[in-house]
PDB file of all heavy atoms in Angstrom:
ATOM      1  N   ILE A   1      48.491  36.055 -25.165  1.00 94.00           N
ATOM      2  CA  ILE A   1      47.066  36.371 -25.223  1.00 94.00           C
ATOM      3  C   ILE A   1      46.643  37.230 -24.044  1.00 94.00           C
ATOM      4  O   ILE A   1      45.884  38.184 -24.183  1.00 94.00           O
ATOM      5  CB  ILE A   1      46.159  35.109 -25.290  1.00 94.00           C
ATOM      6  CG1 ILE A   1      44.671  35.497 -25.288  1.00 94.00           C
ATOM      7  CG2 ILE A   1      46.430  34.153 -24.169  1.00 94.00           C
ATOM      8  CD1 ILE A   1      44.257  36.408 -26.387  1.00 94.00           C
ATOM      9  N   ASN A   2      47.132  36.937 -22.834  1.00 93.00           N
ATOM     10  CA  ASN A   2      46.465  37.370 -21.611  1.00 93.00           C
ATOM     11  C   ASN A   2      46.474  38.874 -21.379  1.00 93.00           C
ATOM     12  O   ASN A   2      45.426  39.485 -21.150  1.00 93.00           O
ATOM     13  CB  ASN A   2      47.062  36.640 -20.408  1.00 93.00           C
ATOM     14  CG  ASN A   2      47.133  35.151 -20.630  1.00 93.00           C
ATOM     15  OD1 ASN A   2      48.158  34.647 -21.069  1.00 93.00           O
ATOM     16  ND2 ASN A   2      46.054  34.428 -20.368  1.00 93.00           N
ATOM     17  N   ILE A   3      47.651  39.509 -21.430  1.00 96.00           N
ATOM     18  CA  ILE A   3      47.673  40.951 -21.166  1.00 96.00           C
ATOM     19  C   ILE A   3      46.946  41.708 -22.271  1.00 96.00           C
ATOM     20  O   ILE A   3      46.256  42.701 -22.020  1.00 96.00           O
ATOM     21  CB  ILE A   3      49.115  41.480 -20.993  1.00 96.00           C
ATOM     22  CG1 ILE A   3      49.070  42.950 -20.540  1.00 96.00           C
ATOM     23  CG2 ILE A   3      49.946  41.302 -22.259  1.00 96.00           C
ATOM     24  CD1 ILE A   3      50.426  43.513 -20.149  1.00 96.00           C
ATOM     25  N   GLN A   4      47.046  41.238 -23.509  1.00 98.00           N
ATOM     26  CA  GLN A   4      46.356  41.924 -24.607  1.00 98.00           C
ATOM     27  C   GLN A   4      44.842  41.868 -24.419  1.00 98.00           C
ATOM     28  O   GLN A   4      44.141  42.872 -24.611  1.00 98.00           O
ATOM     29  CB  GLN A   4      46.746  41.303 -25.951  1.00 98.00           C
ATOM     30  CG  GLN A   4      48.202  41.490 -26.331  1.00 98.00           C
ATOM     31  CD  GLN A   4      49.074  40.326 -25.893  1.00 98.00           C
ATOM     32  OE1 GLN A   4      48.758  39.612 -24.937  1.00 98.00           O
ATOM     33  NE2 GLN A   4      50.187  40.130 -26.586  1.00 98.00           N
ATOM     34  N   MET A   5      44.334  40.692 -24.032  1.00 98.00           N
ATOM     35  CA  MET A   5      42.891  40.537 -23.866  1.00 98.00           C
ATOM     36  C   MET A   5      42.346  41.491 -22.810  1.00 98.00           C
ATOM     37  O   MET A   5      41.208  41.971 -22.930  1.00 98.00           O
ATOM     38  CB  MET A   5      42.544  39.094 -23.499  1.00 98.00           C
ATOM     39  CG  MET A   5      41.050  38.832 -23.374  1.00 98.00           C
ATOM     40  SD  MET A   5      40.603  37.124 -22.978  1.00 98.00           S
ATOM     41  CE  MET A   5      40.798  36.338 -24.566  1.00 98.00           C
ATOM     42  N   ASN A   6      43.142  41.781 -21.777  1.00 97.00           N
ATOM     43  CA  ASN A   6      42.691  42.714 -20.739  1.00 97.00           C
ATOM     44  C   ASN A   6      42.274  44.060 -21.311  1.00 97.00           C
ATOM     45  O   ASN A   6      41.433  44.759 -20.736  1.00 97.00           O
ATOM     46  CB  ASN A   6      43.804  42.946 -19.714  1.00 97.00           C
ATOM     47  CG  ASN A   6      44.021  41.759 -18.812  1.00 97.00           C
ATOM     48  OD1 ASN A   6      43.144  40.920 -18.650  1.00 97.00           O
ATOM     49  ND2 ASN A   6      45.201  41.676 -18.223  1.00 97.00           N
ATOM     50  N   TYR A   7      42.870  44.441 -22.434  1.00 98.00           N
ATOM     51  CA  TYR A   7      42.633  45.780 -22.980  1.00 98.00           C
ATOM     52  C   TYR A   7      41.750  45.786 -24.224  1.00 98.00           C
ATOM     53  O   TYR A   7      41.483  46.846 -24.783  1.00 98.00           O
ATOM     54  CB  TYR A   7      43.981  46.470 -23.255  1.00 98.00           C
ATOM     55  CG  TYR A   7      44.677  46.820 -21.965  1.00 98.00           C
ATOM     56  CD1 TYR A   7      45.516  45.915 -21.335  1.00 98.00           C
ATOM     57  CD2 TYR A   7      44.430  48.036 -21.337  1.00 98.00           C
ATOM     58  CE1 TYR A   7      46.114  46.223 -20.118  1.00 98.00           C
ATOM     59  CE2 TYR A   7      45.018  48.357 -20.124  1.00 98.00           C
ATOM     60  CZ  TYR A   7      45.859  47.434 -19.525  1.00 98.00           C
ATOM     61  OH  TYR A   7      46.441  47.748 -18.317  1.00 98.00           O
ATOM     62  N   TRP A   8      41.268  44.628 -24.648  1.00 98.00           N
ATOM     63  CA  TRP A   8      40.376  44.604 -25.808  1.00 98.00           C
ATOM     64  C   TRP A   8      39.140  45.479 -25.642  1.00 98.00           C
ATOM     65  O   TRP A   8      38.688  46.105 -26.606  1.00 98.00           O
ATOM     66  CB  TRP A   8      39.942  43.167 -26.107  1.00 98.00           C
ATOM     67  CG  TRP A   8      41.005  42.324 -26.729  1.00 98.00           C
ATOM     68  CD1 TRP A   8      42.255  42.716 -27.148  1.00 98.00           C
ATOM     69  CD2 TRP A   8      40.930  40.920 -27.003  1.00 98.00           C
ATOM     70  NE1 TRP A   8      42.945  41.658 -27.656  1.00 98.00           N
ATOM     71  CE2 TRP A   8      42.159  40.528 -27.584  1.00 98.00           C
ATOM     72  CE3 TRP A   8      39.942  39.958 -26.810  1.00 98.00           C
ATOM     73  CZ2 TRP A   8      42.412  39.217 -27.982  1.00 98.00           C
ATOM     74  CZ3 TRP A   8      40.204  38.647 -27.201  1.00 98.00           C
ATOM     75  CH2 TRP A   8      41.419  38.279 -27.789  1.00 98.00           C
ATOM     76  N   PRO A   9      38.542  45.580 -24.448  1.00 98.00           N
ATOM     77  CA  PRO A   9      37.303  46.386 -24.358  1.00 98.00           C
ATOM     78  C   PRO A   9      37.533  47.886 -24.321  1.00 98.00           C
ATOM     79  O   PRO A   9      36.576  48.644 -24.486  1.00 98.00           O
ATOM     80  CB  PRO A   9      36.669  45.935 -23.026  1.00 98.00           C
ATOM     81  CG  PRO A   9      37.546  44.893 -22.439  1.00 98.00           C
ATOM     82  CD  PRO A   9      38.833  44.913 -23.161  1.00 98.00           C
ATOM     83  N   THR A  10      38.760  48.340 -24.069  1.00 98.00           N
ATOM     84  CA  THR A  10      38.949  49.760 -23.751  1.00 98.00           C
ATOM     85  C   THR A  10      38.455  50.695 -24.845  1.00 98.00           C
ATOM     86  O   THR A  10      37.789  51.689 -24.560  1.00 98.00           O
ATOM     87  CB  THR A  10      40.428  50.069 -23.449  1.00 98.00           C
ATOM     88  OG1 THR A  10      41.247  49.555 -24.510  1.00 98.00           O
ATOM     89  CG2 THR A  10      40.857  49.466 -22.143  1.00 98.00           C
ATOM     90  N   GLN A  11      38.773  50.401 -26.089  1.00 98.00           N
ATOM     91  CA  GLN A  11      38.386  51.313 -27.164  1.00 98.00           C
ATOM     92  C   GLN A  11      36.911  51.205 -27.553  1.00 98.00           C
ATOM     93  O   GLN A  11      36.206  52.220 -27.564  1.00 98.00           O
ATOM     94  CB  GLN A  11      39.301  51.116 -28.381  1.00 98.00           C
ATOM     95  CG  GLN A  11      40.755  51.448 -28.112  1.00 98.00           C
ATOM     96  CD  GLN A  11      40.961  52.871 -27.622  1.00 98.00           C
ATOM     97  OE1 GLN A  11      40.189  53.781 -27.942  1.00 98.00           O
ATOM     98  NE2 GLN A  11      42.004  53.076 -26.835  1.00 98.00           N
ATOM     99  N   PRO A  12      36.381  50.012 -27.866  1.00 98.00           N
ATOM    100  CA  PRO A  12      34.963  49.955 -28.270  1.00 98.00           C
ATOM    101  C   PRO A  12      33.996  50.388 -27.177  1.00 98.00           C
ATOM    102  O   PRO A  12      32.905  50.870 -27.482  1.00 98.00           O
ATOM    103  CB  PRO A  12      34.744  48.490 -28.659  1.00 98.00           C
ATOM    104  CG  PRO A  12      35.882  47.741 -28.068  1.00 98.00           C
ATOM    105  CD  PRO A  12      37.029  48.690 -28.011  1.00 98.00           C
ATOM    106  N   THR A  13      34.384  50.256 -25.890  1.00 98.00           N
ATOM    107  CA  THR A  13      33.494  50.708 -24.815  1.00 98.00           C
ATOM    108  C   THR A  13      33.800  52.144 -24.387  1.00 98.00           C
ATOM    109  O   THR A  13      33.303  52.603 -23.368  1.00 98.00           O
ATOM    110  CB  THR A  13      33.581  49.777 -23.591  1.00 98.00           C
ATOM    111  OG1 THR A  13      34.909  49.798 -23.064  1.00 98.00           O
ATOM    112  CG2 THR A  13      33.189  48.360 -23.953  1.00 98.00           C
ATOM    113  N   ASN A  14      34.620  52.843 -25.182  1.00 98.00           N
ATOM    114  CA  ASN A  14      34.857  54.276 -25.000  1.00 98.00           C
ATOM    115  C   ASN A  14      35.575  54.589 -23.679  1.00 98.00           C
ATOM    116  O   ASN A  14      35.221  55.521 -22.962  1.00 98.00           O
ATOM    117  CB  ASN A  14      33.533  55.048 -25.071  1.00 98.00           C
ATOM    118  CG  ASN A  14      33.738  56.479 -25.567  1.00 98.00           C
ATOM    119  OD1 ASN A  14      34.862  56.946 -25.701  1.00 98.00           O
ATOM    120  ND2 ASN A  14      32.637  57.169 -25.822  1.00 98.00           N
ATOM    121  N   LEU A  15      36.603  53.790 -23.384  1.00 98.00           N
ATOM    122  CA  LEU A  15      37.407  53.992 -22.183  1.00 98.00           C
ATOM    123  C   LEU A  15      38.878  54.216 -22.560  1.00 98.00           C
ATOM    124  O   LEU A  15      39.788  53.655 -21.953  1.00 98.00           O
ATOM    125  CB  LEU A  15      37.284  52.787 -21.250  1.00 98.00           C
ATOM    126  CG  LEU A  15      35.904  52.537 -20.649  1.00 98.00           C
ATOM    127  CD1 LEU A  15      35.876  51.197 -19.918  1.00 98.00           C
ATOM    128  CD2 LEU A  15      35.522  53.656 -19.690  1.00 98.00           C
ATOM    129  N   SER A  16      39.105  55.046 -23.573  1.00 98.00           N
ATOM    130  CA  SER A  16      40.456  55.243 -24.095  1.00 98.00           C
ATOM    131  C   SER A  16      41.506  55.588 -23.039  1.00 98.00           C
ATOM    132  O   SER A  16      42.627  55.072 -23.095  1.00 98.00           O
ATOM    133  CB  SER A  16      40.448  56.334 -25.179  1.00 98.00           C
ATOM    134  OG  SER A  16      39.815  55.861 -26.347  1.00 98.00           O
ATOM    135  N   PRO A  17      41.223  56.452 -22.058  1.00 98.00           N
ATOM    136  CA  PRO A  17      42.258  56.758 -21.062  1.00 98.00           C
ATOM    137  C   PRO A  17      42.764  55.522 -20.324  1.00 98.00           C
ATOM    138  O   PRO A  17      43.921  55.479 -19.895  1.00 98.00           O
ATOM    139  CB  PRO A  17      41.555  57.732 -20.105  1.00 98.00           C
ATOM    140  CG  PRO A  17      40.500  58.381 -20.933  1.00 98.00           C
ATOM    141  CD  PRO A  17      40.020  57.293 -21.855  1.00 98.00           C
ATOM    142  N   CYS A  18      41.903  54.508 -20.191  1.00 98.00           N
ATOM    143  CA  CYS A  18      42.308  53.276 -19.501  1.00 98.00           C
ATOM    144  C   CYS A  18      43.310  52.462 -20.316  1.00 98.00           C
ATOM    145  O   CYS A  18      43.932  51.527 -19.797  1.00 98.00           O
ATOM    146  CB  CYS A  18      41.089  52.414 -19.195  1.00 98.00           C
ATOM    147  SG  CYS A  18      39.920  53.183 -18.047  1.00 98.00           S
ATOM    148  N   HIS A  19      43.474  52.808 -21.589  1.00 98.00           N
ATOM    149  CA  HIS A  19      44.386  52.079 -22.467  1.00 98.00           C
ATOM    150  C   HIS A  19      45.826  52.584 -22.343  1.00 98.00           C
ATOM    151  O   HIS A  19      46.778  51.862 -22.659  1.00 98.00           O
ATOM    152  CB  HIS A  19      43.912  52.233 -23.918  1.00 98.00           C
ATOM    153  CG  HIS A  19      44.245  51.062 -24.788  1.00 98.00           C
ATOM    154  ND1 HIS A  19      43.640  50.844 -25.998  1.00 98.00           N
ATOM    155  CD2 HIS A  19      45.123  50.031 -24.645  1.00 98.00           C
ATOM    156  CE1 HIS A  19      44.121  49.752 -26.552  1.00 98.00           C
ATOM    157  NE2 HIS A  19      45.029  49.238 -25.752  1.00 98.00           N
ATOM    158  N   LEU A  20      45.991  53.820 -21.892  1.00 98.00           N
ATOM    159  CA  LEU A  20      47.310  54.447 -21.899  1.00 98.00           C
ATOM    160  C   LEU A  20      48.349  53.742 -21.028  1.00 98.00           C
ATOM    161  O   LEU A  20      49.520  53.667 -21.427  1.00 98.00           O
ATOM    162  CB  LEU A  20      47.188  55.922 -21.503  1.00 98.00           C
ATOM    163  CG  LEU A  20      46.442  56.789 -22.527  1.00 98.00           C
ATOM    164  CD1 LEU A  20      46.234  58.191 -21.985  1.00 98.00           C
ATOM    165  CD2 LEU A  20      47.211  56.836 -23.849  1.00 98.00           C
ATOM    166  N   PRO A  21      47.995  53.206 -19.841  1.00 97.00           N
ATOM    167  CA  PRO A  21      49.017  52.481 -19.076  1.00 97.00           C
ATOM    168  C   PRO A  21      49.602  51.293 -19.844  1.00 97.00           C
ATOM    169  O   PRO A  21      50.799  51.030 -19.748  1.00 97.00           O
ATOM    170  CB  PRO A  21      48.255  52.022 -17.826  1.00 97.00           C
ATOM    171  CG  PRO A  21      47.162  53.019 -17.666  1.00 97.00           C
ATOM    172  CD  PRO A  21      46.751  53.359 -19.069  1.00 97.00           C
ATOM    173  N   MET A  22      48.781  50.592 -20.603  1.00 98.00           N
ATOM    174  CA  MET A  22      49.271  49.473 -21.401  1.00 98.00           C
ATOM    175  C   MET A  22      50.224  49.971 -22.488  1.00 98.00           C
ATOM    176  O   MET A  22      51.310  49.409 -22.701  1.00 98.00           O
ATOM    177  CB  MET A  22      48.094  48.725 -22.040  1.00 98.00           C
ATOM    178  CG  MET A  22      48.467  47.652 -23.032  1.00 98.00           C
ATOM    179  SD  MET A  22      49.455  46.315 -22.319  1.00 98.00           S
ATOM    180  CE  MET A  22      49.576  45.213 -23.733  1.00 98.00           C
ATOM    181  N   VAL A  23      49.842  51.041 -23.169  1.00 98.00           N
ATOM    182  CA  VAL A  23      50.673  51.582 -24.238  1.00 98.00           C
ATOM    183  C   VAL A  23      52.032  52.032 -23.689  1.00 98.00           C
ATOM    184  O   VAL A  23      53.083  51.767 -24.287  1.00 98.00           O
ATOM    185  CB  VAL A  23      49.949  52.753 -24.936  1.00 98.00           C
ATOM    186  CG1 VAL A  23      50.881  53.477 -25.894  1.00 98.00           C
ATOM    187  CG2 VAL A  23      48.719  52.233 -25.681  1.00 98.00           C
ATOM    188  N   GLU A  24      52.007  52.695 -22.548  1.00 98.00           N
ATOM    189  CA  GLU A  24      53.260  53.161 -21.944  1.00 98.00           C
ATOM    190  C   GLU A  24      54.098  51.978 -21.454  1.00 98.00           C
ATOM    191  O   GLU A  24      55.328  52.008 -21.525  1.00 98.00           O
ATOM    192  CB  GLU A  24      52.955  54.120 -20.789  1.00 98.00           C
ATOM    193  CG  GLU A  24      54.164  54.889 -20.289  1.00 98.00           C
ATOM    194  CD  GLU A  24      54.875  55.696 -21.376  1.00 98.00           C
ATOM    195  OE1 GLU A  24      54.203  56.178 -22.315  1.00 98.00           O
ATOM    196  OE2 GLU A  24      56.108  55.806 -21.293  1.00 98.00           O
ATOM    197  N   TYR A  25      53.439  50.936 -20.985  1.00 97.00           N
ATOM    198  CA  TYR A  25      54.157  49.732 -20.576  1.00 97.00           C
ATOM    199  C   TYR A  25      54.894  49.110 -21.762  1.00 97.00           C
ATOM    200  O   TYR A  25      56.053  48.690 -21.643  1.00 97.00           O
ATOM    201  CB  TYR A  25      53.187  48.713 -19.964  1.00 97.00           C
ATOM    202  CG  TYR A  25      53.834  47.378 -19.658  1.00 97.00           C
ATOM    203  CD1 TYR A  25      54.790  47.269 -18.652  1.00 97.00           C
ATOM    204  CD2 TYR A  25      53.515  46.245 -20.402  1.00 97.00           C
ATOM    205  CE1 TYR A  25      55.401  46.047 -18.383  1.00 97.00           C
ATOM    206  CE2 TYR A  25      54.117  45.033 -20.134  1.00 97.00           C
ATOM    207  CZ  TYR A  25      55.059  44.933 -19.128  1.00 97.00           C
ATOM    208  OH  TYR A  25      55.677  43.739 -18.868  1.00 97.00           O
TER     209      TYR A  25
END
């Protein structure tokens, strides 16, 4: 649950660039 929850807000709050480190990880 934990690491995924950290990134739940990135897309709906329009912070897509902040999502890329997770995707690359």
Side-chain angles (χ1 to χ4, degrees):
I1 178 57
N2 310 94
I3 187 172
Q4 294 93 334
M5 183 179 282
N6 287 338
Y7 290 88
W8 286 354
T10 51
Q11 297 303 331
T13 62
N14 208 351
L15 295 171
S16 289
C18 296
H19 210 163
L20 293 174
M22 173 61 176
V23 171
E24 192 56 32
Y25 174 68

